[in-house]
Amino acid sequence: MLVGRAVDYLPYFIFTFSELGRLGLGRGRGKFSLVGAWAVSPEGEELAYDGKTFRRPRPYRPAEAGPSEVREVVLEFLTPTRIRYNERLVSKLEFHMLVRSLLRRISLLSYFHCGRELDLDFRGIIRRAQEVEVVEDDLRWYDWGRYSGRQKARMKLGGFVGKVRFSGELGEFWPLLLTGQEVHVGKGTSFGLGWYRMEWSARSS
């Protein structure tokens, strides 16, 4: 995913991946075709490249608030997720731990790639996040590793996968949760770690 200033380089990435597909990739020179590239926003996806034509995507406008009736969310972590709390990797996720990690990642992306600091009450948000409860936990640890040519060693990048259900006043956290779906959360996001999808349900009448 390209964020902030990097979006200006999208045509170059499209050209590079198209050429890689034409020339072949890997030992067997496997070939592929780039069929599309999409821009994402809280309103949905917008096709930026359809295999032939490039269309410059509209600027991303983050959601400012969530539906006030959101009472429960289920997060399904699809790739190993590595979140640290008190200097340790967590295997049992509490909502405030997730929020802390999302705030850290999104604020760094905003500062370094968009040139803007987030104007948020971080302490207040974290304090209110501590009131959200875990009502169902089906997370499990998944060990995964990769070889680092730079470090000449095999790196352990295990993390938790699976589903967790949170319950509470969640409307305030909606923008963070939506953005996290796209930019991932935790350590190792550049390797595809920390990818989740979210479902939500409204307050019961």
Side-chain angles (χ1 to χ4, degrees):
M1 170 171 283
L2 304 179
V3 177
R5 300 185 184 95
V7 175
D8 293 336
Y9 297 96
L10 178 58
Y12 300 99
F13 280 96
I14 289 174
F15 174 77
T16 299
F17 281 109
S18 295
E19 283 297 291
L20 278 174
R22 184 179 65 83
L23 297 173
L25 186 65
R27 290 183 178 179
R29 290 295 177 187
K31 297 186 177 183
F32 62 88
S33 298
L34 182 63
V35 299
W38 287 262
V40 296
S41 74
E43 289 76 30
E45 294 186 348
E46 174 189 359
L47 185 64
Y49 177 71
D50 61 5
K52 295 181 179 179
T53 305
F54 173 74
R55 303 177 183 87
R56 186 173 181 80
R58 292 170 294 178
Y60 181 91
R61 292 185 175 87
E64 295 182 357
S68 59
E69 68 272 16
V70 175
R71 182 65 189 179
E72 286 193 348
V73 295
V74 177
L75 303 186
E76 181 179 8
F77 291 90
L78 303 170
T79 58
T81 302
R82 297 167 61 84
I83 290 178
R84 287 186 177 273
Y85 180 65
N86 286 340
E87 304 300 324
R88 301 181 65 179
L89 287 172
V90 301
S91 56
K92 294 295 182 181
L93 183 66
E94 297 179 24
F95 190 71
H96 72 93
M97 298 174 185
L98 174 68
V99 167
R100 290 171 193 266
S101 188
L102 285 171
L103 285 171
R104 184 181 306 111
R105 173 147 176 77
I106 296 170
S107 63
L108 287 173
L109 287 173
S110 179
Y111 181 78
F112 288 106
H113 293 275
C114 303
R116 183 171 62 181
E117 294 187 17
L118 292 185
D119 184 18
L120 296 174
D121 175 15
F122 286 74
R123 290 185 179 181
I125 292 172
I126 292 171
R127 183 177 66 251
R128 291 185 290 277
Q130 291 174 327
E131 299 173 2
V132 176
E133 298 179 345
V134 178
V135 294
E136 187 177 349
D137 183 343
D138 190 27
L139 298 176
R140 63 190 183 280
W141 194 261
Y142 181 86
D143 280 319
W144 179 74
R146 62 177 291 271
Y147 182 79
S148 171
R150 182 174 62 85
Q151 299 184 29
K152 306 298 181 184
R154 189 161 186 82
M155 301 172 61
K156 292 185 176 180
L157 295 173
F160 58 78
V161 295
K163 293 184 177 182
V164 59
R165 183 188 301 268
F166 297 110
S167 177
E169 299 293 336
L170 292 163
E172 174 185 9
F173 307 103
W174 191 251
L176 289 174
L177 295 171
L178 275 181
T179 305
Q181 285 191 121
E182 308 303 337
V183 302
H184 299 199
V185 65
K187 302 288 186 179
T189 54
S190 59
F191 300 116
L193 304 188
W195 178 32
Y196 68 84
R197 283 289 175 255
M198 177 174 62
E199 298 177 359
W200 68 279
S201 58
R203 190 190 314 273
S204 58
S205 58

